[in-house]
C-alpha cells in the first residue's frame, strides 16, 4: 500500500488519573483507531484496539497498561492524527478524549489485547450536573449559558452557536444539559428565516470544532467544503478538481408510506389555549409552507406527486400563553405580565410543526460513501458529489438528479496502518428536478 494512503498517528498518550505525572505512549500498540461524529449526538466518541506485549510499564516487573497505569476509567488521552492531505485531527486541551469503557480484554503470558472506548469529557460531565435555574431571552444565549455554567466547557466556537430570532423563558427543572439543549433545538427559529417559523428546527451536536447549535436550514445553505466524484474506473477526475469516492450505497431513497405516516407532506395541529380556553388549528403543507421559504439541497426540488400531498397526521399541543413573563425579579415579572397577560412564551404554532417536519424531511435521502482518510471533513459539513449517469453500462455524463450537495450526518475516520478510510452517512432533504 502506498504511503499516500496511510494515516499517521503522530502522537497518542494516555495519562494516569491516579498519578497525573505518569503517562504511556500508545502508538506502538494501536491496531486500529476509529473516531465518530454525528449531528444527532451531542458528543464525539472514539475507540482504539490495542495489542501490547505486557512490557509497557515497569512496575515490580513488566506489566500491561491496564494494570500498570492503571486504567480504571476517566483517564485522559491526547493525540494528533494526520492524513495524506496533511490535515491534522487533534485531541488536545479541550478536545482531549477520556476513557469511558474497557472491553474485549484477552490476556496471556505474551501479550494483552483490549479495546478502549473514548468520549469527550462533556459526555461524562453531563451525568454530573443538572440545569436548575430560570433562563430567559434568546434561545442561543441560554444554550451558551448552559454550556459554560453547567458543563463548564469552552469547547465551542461562536460561529457554531447560531443566533435565534425567537426568545423563550424556561426553568431547567433539574434536567441534564444535553437533554435541555436538544429540547431547545426544536423550538428554535434562525434569524435568517425567510418567514417567521418557516426555517424552524435546530440541531445540537459536537464535532471536531466543539459544540454546535445550528439550524438545519442554514446547514443546507452552506457552500461545499470539498467536491467528490464516484467512478468504478481507476482514473482520476479529468478536471482535477474533485476527490474520488471508492464505494457508495443508497440506504434510503424513498419510503412514501412512512412519510405519509409522519405527515411530512401535510399535517394538521390542534393547539389549546388554557388562558382563553380556546383551541385553534394550524395546517402545514410542504408546498405552501416550505417552497421558496427554506433552503434545500436541491435548487429546484422534485416533490412527491400532488395526489399524496394531503393531510395525513394530526398533532396536539397546549400553549403556554401568560406564563414565564420576562424580568430580573418577581416585581419586574409581575409588571410585565400585567402589561401583556396573554403574551405567548413561545409561538408554538409557528415553530413546533415546522421543526418536526424539517427533521423528518432532512433524512429523505441517505447514502453511505467511503473514501481515502480525509480529516478535514466533519459532521455538519456540506460536500458536493458527482454521480455517473447509467447509460447502458457507459458513464459519460453525470446524473443531474442524484448529483449535488449532501450534508454529512455522521462520519467515521478509521485509522489503520494498511487502509485508512473515511466513511460518511450523507443526507439530503430533496431530489433535484431532472429538468
Amino acid at each position: 500500500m502506498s504511503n499516500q494512503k496511510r494515516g499517521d498517528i503522530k502522537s497518542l498518550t494516555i495519562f494516569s488519573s491516579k498519578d497525573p505525572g505518569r503517562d504511556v505512549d500508545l502508538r506502538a500498540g494501536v491496531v486500529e483507531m476509529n473516531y465518530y461524529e454525528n449531528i444527532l449526538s451531542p458528543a464525539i466518541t472514539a475507540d482504539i484496539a490495542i495489542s501490547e506485549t505486557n512490557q509497557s510499564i515497569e512496575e515490580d516487573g513488566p506489566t500491561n497498561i491496564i494494570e500498570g497505569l492503571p486504567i480504571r476509567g476517566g483517564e485522559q488521552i491526547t493525540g494528533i492524527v494526520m492524513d495524506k492531505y496533511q490535515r491534522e485531527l487533534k485531541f488536545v486541551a479541550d478536545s482531549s478524549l477520556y476513557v469511558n469503557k474497557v472491553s474485549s480484554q484477552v490476556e496471556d503470558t505474551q501479550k494483552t489485547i483490549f479495546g478502549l472506548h473514548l468520549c469527550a469529557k462533556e459526555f461524562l460531565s453531563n451525568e454530573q450536573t443538572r440545569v436548575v435555574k430560570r433562563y430567559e431571552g434568546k434561545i442561543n444565549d441560554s444554550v451558551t449559558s448552559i454550556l459554560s455554567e453547567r458543563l463548564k466547557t469552552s469547547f465551542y466556537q461562536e460561529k457554531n452557536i447560531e443566533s435565534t430570532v425567537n426568545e423563550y423563558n424556561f426553568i431547567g427543572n433539574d434536567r441534564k444539559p444535553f437533554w435541555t439543549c436538544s429540547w431547545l433545538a426544536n423550538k428554535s427559529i434562525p434569524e435568517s428565516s425567510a418567514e417567521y417559523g418557516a426555517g424552524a428546527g435546530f440541531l445540537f451536536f459536537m464535532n471536531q470544532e466543539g459544540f454546535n447549535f445550528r439550524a438545519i436550514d442554514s446547514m443546507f445553505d452552506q457552500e461545499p467544503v470539498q467536491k467528490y466524484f464516484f467512478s468504478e474506473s481507476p482514473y482520476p477526475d479529468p478536471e482535477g478538481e474533485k476527490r474520488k469516492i471508492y464505494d457508495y450505497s443508497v440506504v434510503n431513497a424513498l419510503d412514501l408510506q412512512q412519510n405519509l405516516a409522519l405527515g411530512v407532506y401535510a399535517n394538521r395541529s390542534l393547539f389549546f389555549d388554557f388562558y382563553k380556553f380556546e383551541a385553534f388549528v394550524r395546517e402545514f403543507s410542504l408546498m405552501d409552507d416550505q417552497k421558496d421559504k427554506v433552503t434545500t439541497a436541491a435548487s429546484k426540488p422534485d416533490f412527491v406527486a400532488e395526489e399524496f400531498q394531503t393531510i395525513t397526521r394530526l398533532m396536539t399541543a397546549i400553549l403556554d400563553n401568560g406564563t414565564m413573563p420576562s424580568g430580573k425579579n418577581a416585581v419586574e415579572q409581575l409588571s410585565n405580565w400585567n402589561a401583556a397577560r396573554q403574551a405567548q412564551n413561545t409561538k408554538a404554532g409557528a415553530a413546533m410543526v415546522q421543526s418536526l417536519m424539517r427533521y423528518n424531511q432532512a433524512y429523505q435521502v441517505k447514502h453511505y460513501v467511503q473514501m481515502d482518510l480525509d480529516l478535514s471533513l466533519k459532521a455538519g459539513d456540506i460536500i458536493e458529489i458527482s454521480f455517473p449517469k447509467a447509460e447502458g453500462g457507459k458513464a459519460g455524463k453525470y446524473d443531474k438528479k442524484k448529483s449535488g450537495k449532501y450534508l454529512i450526518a455522521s462520519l467515521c475516520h478509521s485509522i489503520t496502518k494498511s487502509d485508512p478510510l473515511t466513511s460518511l452517512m450523507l443526507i439530503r432533504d430533496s431530489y433535484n428536478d431532472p429538468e
Side-chain angles (χ1 to χ4, degrees):
M1 183 66 63
S2 168
N3 286 336
Q4 287 298 304
K5 286 199 70 176
R6 289 179 64 89
D8 182 21
I9 300 179
K10 298 178 65 176
S11 65
L12 193 65
T13 306
I14 183 170
F15 297 86
S16 172
S17 58
K18 307 288 185 182
D19 182 0
R22 193 171 193 173
D23 61 75
V24 176
D25 189 340
L26 296 174
R27 285 178 296 174
V30 174
V31 177
E32 181 176 354
M33 180 176 183
N34 295 303
Y35 166 88
Y36 306 95
E37 294 177 357
N38 193 317
I39 61 172
L40 299 181
S41 173
I44 55 177
T45 58
D47 55 61
I48 307 175
I50 295 177
S51 176
E52 59 164 334
T53 58
N54 296 340
Q55 296 182 351
S56 299
I57 295 179
E58 292 286 342
E59 181 82 8
D60 298 326
T63 186
N64 61 50
I65 298 174
I66 294 178
E67 299 304 326
L69 193 60
I71 297 177
R72 296 294 182 262
E75 287 75 20
Q76 182 184 18
I77 291 183
T78 64
I80 301 175
V81 181
M82 178 182 287
D83 61 23
K84 72 175 187 178
Y85 307 109
Q86 306 302 304
R87 169 77 184 203
E88 291 183 341
L89 178 61
K90 297 181 179 180
F91 312 113
V92 296
D94 289 342
S95 61
S96 297
L97 298 174
Y98 290 77
V99 176
N100 184 34
K101 291 190 294 184
V102 180
S103 67
S104 305
Q105 184 175 349
V106 179
E107 185 176 352
D108 58 30
T109 58
Q110 299 296 320
K111 64 181 182 298
T112 300
I113 301 173
F114 61 95
L116 292 179
H117 299 265
L118 315 177
C119 63
K121 186 177 183 180
E122 291 81 3
F123 182 75
L124 304 174
S125 300
N126 183 61
E127 304 298 329
Q128 298 176 292
T129 186
R130 295 293 187 273
V131 180
V132 294
K133 76 172 192 178
R134 171 194 167 97
Y135 294 82
E136 64 177 55
K138 285 194 172 184
I139 296 177
N140 59 286
D141 292 334
S142 297
V143 169
T144 301
S145 296
I146 291 170
L147 292 176
S148 60
E149 296 172 3
R150 305 312 304 165
L151 284 175
K152 308 292 185 183
T153 182
S154 59
F155 189 34
Y156 58 89
Q157 298 181 21
E158 288 187 10
K159 67 174 185 176
N160 293 331
I161 307 297
E162 189 172 344
S163 184
T164 61
V165 70
N166 56 327
E167 299 182 353
Y168 183 57
N169 302 342
F170 68 98
I171 298 174
N173 286 332
D174 217 30
R175 300 285 191 179
K176 296 178 183 179
F178 283 179
W179 186 94
T180 305
C181 291
S182 298
W183 171 68
L184 291 171
N186 65 33
K187 303 177 184 299
S188 301
I189 302 170
E191 286 187 336
S192 59
S193 185
E195 179 179 298
Y196 191 91
F202 274 53
L203 291 169
F204 175 67
F205 62 97
M206 181 189 283
N207 60 22
Q208 60 180 273
E209 291 185 342
F211 285 102
N212 290 254
F213 187 73
R214 299 168 63 189
I216 296 176
D217 200 33
S218 60
M219 290 169 69
F220 276 113
D221 195 32
Q222 300 174 99
E223 289 300 315
V225 298
Q226 190 57 253
K227 296 181 179 181
Y228 296 88
F229 76 103
F230 174 77
S231 175
E232 295 177 344
S233 71
Y235 303 110
D237 173 39
E239 300 175 358
E241 298 179 351
K242 303 171 184 174
R243 296 177 182 175
K244 187 171 183 178
I245 289 173
Y246 291 98
D247 188 27
Y248 91 97
S249 60
V250 179
V251 182
N252 180 30
L254 176 66
D255 189 331
L256 180 58
Q257 185 277 330
Q258 183 183 55
N259 290 344
L260 293 173
L262 293 172
V264 171
Y265 308 120
N267 56 72
R268 179 183 292 115
S269 295
L270 178 64
F271 295 95
F272 188 75
D273 184 347
F274 260 111
Y275 194 93
K276 296 181 179 179
F277 222 68
E278 295 177 352
F280 74 91
V281 175
R282 164 83 158 88
E283 292 187 353
F284 174 90
S285 167
L286 186 65
M287 290 294 292
D288 296 336
D289 295 271
Q290 282 199 342
K291 189 176 181 180
D292 301 326
K293 298 177 183 179
V294 300
T295 303
T296 56
S299 56
K300 294 182 179 180
D302 187 13
F303 290 103
V304 70
E306 187 174 348
E307 64 180 295
F308 298 111
Q309 296 177 23
T310 58
I311 294 172
T312 56
R313 184 181 180 185
L314 174 65
M315 294 177 286
T316 60
I318 298 174
L319 299 178
D320 54 1
N321 294 0
T323 66
M324 299 294 293
S326 299
K328 297 180 180 180
N329 51 52
V331 173
E332 188 173 324
Q333 291 169 20
L334 183 59
S335 175
N336 289 333
W337 178 78
N338 273 319
R341 296 190 178 192
Q342 299 179 24
Q344 294 186 25
N345 185 20
T346 179
K347 297 181 180 179
M352 186 193 81
V353 179
Q354 166 65 18
S355 62
L356 287 174
M357 295 307 100
R358 199 71 172 107
Y359 294 137
N360 292 325
Q361 186 188 12
Y363 281 79
Q364 287 301 290
V365 182
K366 291 190 289 187
H367 287 182
Y368 279 121
V369 302
Q370 283 190 332
M371 61 192 70
D372 286 343
L373 182 67
D374 189 345
L375 299 176
S376 67
L377 302 178
K378 57 187 182 295
D381 280 344
I382 287 286
I383 63 173
E384 183 179 303
I385 304 181
S386 298
F387 290 101
K389 187 174 182 179
E391 295 180 325
K394 300 178 181 180
K397 301 178 181 179
Y398 288 128
D399 187 334
K400 292 183 179 180
K401 185 178 180 68
K402 188 187 300 182
S403 302
K405 295 167 63 174
Y406 286 82
L407 176 67
I408 300 177
S410 64
L411 65 77
C412 172
H413 294 311
S414 182
I415 300 99
T416 63
K417 294 181 180 179
S418 60
D419 195 17
L421 295 169
T422 291
S423 301
L424 307 176
M425 187 181 82
L426 305 174
I427 62 173
R428 62 185 301 171
D429 56 358
S430 53
Y431 287 101
N432 292 321
D433 187 336
E435 299 179 340

